[in-house]
Amino acid sequence: MEVGSCVLVLLIVSLSLRPSPALEPISTSALLAGAASVAYYYFNCRFQECCTKDWIPLDVKGLEADLRRQLFGQHIAIDVIPKAIEGFLSNKNSRKSLTLSLHGWTGTGKNFVSRIIAESLYKNGVDSKYVHHFVTTFHFPTAEHTSKYKQQLQEWIHGNVSMCKRSLFIFDEMDKMPPELIDSIKPFLEYYNDLDGVSYRKAMFIFLSNAGGEKINEVVLNFWNRGMKRENIQRKDLENSLSLEVYNNKMSGFWHTSLIDQNLIDYFIPFLPLEYRHVVMCAKAEVQSRHFKDVDEVAIKVAEEMVYFPKEQRIFSTKGCKTVAAKVDYWTTAV
Ligand SMILES: *[C@@H]1O[C@H](CO)[C@@H](O)[C@H](O)[C@H]1NC(C)=O
């Protein structure tokens, strides 16, 4: 920005000082304006992030490939997320912002997936200034301050979307968010043409929560007990029970009144509880990323240290893959 604006100022000053008898004053200023905007774009957006295709490549094919390669045990998410995003991005006349709600037990990959989404849509990934990540207990910790948060959040969403329509907002721990705060996001998700002159129809919202996680686990355990393949579980097997669960759950009653009831969530995406074999895969990927050679050995040690439920059958990892990285750290440095 420093260099860019400096050169820009020099360019304008030198052009305006130079006598140009051949040119009319109007065309001179038109020329200047044109040159200035080209120069501005060139110097600023080459080195500094701008709301342009170069910086926001929206690489959905890459997203799908990354999910297939890096996300374990989540065939529904892998199938639905790229399609949902691609459909939204290719629709020139989207009527509202895109809202994805990712549900599931802790450690099943919800945060991981939102990072992969940010990385394939934005060149700077989660560090992009157009990607905003809010964690309820971190950004909105005190219940008494809710009305302050509410105002702040609305200003932020409004301010950021006015700067760049292709903004991504990720809300983590949605089930801990006070109803009032959720209500304050609602207008941005609705079918308005614009609000205060800003259109939100190109923005994307991702909500993460554990709401419905137990219900999902129940359905998956049921499949397992009946000897059916996990990969045959379909979205519809979960979607009804999931939205019912979220709908009826007192803890998340707000979903009912504000978002779900009014169909503001475009996709509910269930994250299934992970089995021993998936934990092994997560661990292997971690070990490999550290260029450590005893991949299988460490991965099995790590997976064996995890706790599994239900108690008698020990099928699903209680923490999914959540503590895997730390355990891999231990084994790859201690050996
Ligand atoms: C954009 O959002 C961030 C929080 O992610 C906030 O700090 C910033 O002030 C917002 N920008 C505008 C212009 O509102």
Side-chain angles (χ1 to χ4, degrees), residues 129 131-134 155-160 163 169:
K129 62 183 178 195
V131 175
H132 309 275
H133 192 183
F134 302 102
E155 280 170 14
W156 286 350
I157 298 178
H158 177 267
N160 281 295
M163 254 171 31
F169 299 90

Side-chain angles (χ1 to χ4, degrees), residues 71-253:
L71 181 67
F72 305 118
Q74 304 300 352
H75 65 280
I76 298 178
I78 292 174
D79 179 48
V80 176
I81 293 175
K83 279 191 199 139
I85 295 182
E86 181 165 31
F88 174 69
L89 295 176
S90 62
N91 181 0
K92 295 271 174 294
N93 301 310
S94 53
R95 291 176 54 225
K96 65 183 276 305
S97 50
L98 177 69
T99 48
L100 307 179
S101 191
L102 318 190
H103 296 260
W105 207 244
T106 174
T108 48
K110 304 184 297 292
N111 258 301
F112 186 65
V113 164
S114 34
R115 202 173 65 227
I116 296 180
I117 293 176
E119 276 163 7
S120 32
L121 303 187
Y122 299 81
K123 195 171 167 191
N124 288 355
V126 283
D127 296 326
S128 164
K129 62 183 178 195
Y130 308 120
V131 175
H132 309 275
H133 192 183
F134 302 102
V135 181
T136 302
T137 51
F138 181 78
H139 292 94
F140 318 112
T142 328
E144 299 94 80
H145 296 162
T146 300
S147 55
K148 187 188 81 189
Y149 297 148
K150 191 173 152 176
Q151 193 196 348
Q152 220 173 33
L153 187 56
Q154 288 193 317
E155 280 170 14
W156 286 350
I157 298 178
H158 177 267
N160 281 295
V161 176
S162 342
M163 254 171 31
C164 185
K165 286 192 165 54
R166 278 287 183 229
S167 289
L168 170 64
F169 299 90
I170 301 166
F171 289 90
D172 195 0
E173 301 181 342
M174 196 65 180
D175 34 1
K176 297 194 180 120
M177 199 185 258
E180 225 190 309
L181 202 50
I182 297 200
D183 263 341
S184 73
I185 313 176
K186 210 173 101 184
F188 305 112
L189 314 180
E190 293 190 87
Y191 293 85
Y192 295 131
N193 273 344
D194 58 43
L195 277 176
D196 298 335
V198 178
S199 162
Y200 294 88
R201 288 181 294 179
K202 288 192 182 319
M204 293 167 276
F205 293 82
I206 301 178
F207 303 114
L208 316 182
S209 77
N210 295 339
E214 293 190 23
K215 195 75 200 175
I216 297 171
N217 292 355
E218 211 178 288
V219 173
V220 181
L221 183 61
N222 236 319
F223 259 72
W224 199 91
N225 283 333
R226 282 185 289 160
M228 293 161 80
K229 270 186 78 174
R230 168 197 185 92
E231 287 72 21
N232 291 340
I233 301 176
Q234 291 177 16
R235 189 154 68 110
K236 64 171 172 19
D237 296 323
L238 289 154
E239 206 163 43
N240 285 340
S241 51
L242 182 58
S243 58
L244 265 181
E245 163 88 359
V246 179
Y247 201 89
N248 290 328
N249 191 333
K250 292 266 184 308
M251 276 292 288
S252 41

Side-chain angles (χ1 to χ4, degrees), residues 245-283:
E245 163 88 359
V246 179
Y247 201 89
N248 290 328
N249 191 333
K250 292 266 184 308
M251 276 292 288
S252 41
F254 60 82
W255 288 98
H256 170 157
T257 45
S258 14
L259 304 181
I260 298 178
D261 238 11
Q262 299 178 28
N263 292 318
L264 296 182
I265 302 290
D266 299 314
Y267 297 89
F268 285 99
I269 298 158
F271 279 66
L272 315 187
L274 298 178
E275 297 170 20
Y276 176 87
R277 60 188 165 118
H278 303 119
V279 178
V280 171
M281 292 188 224
C282 293

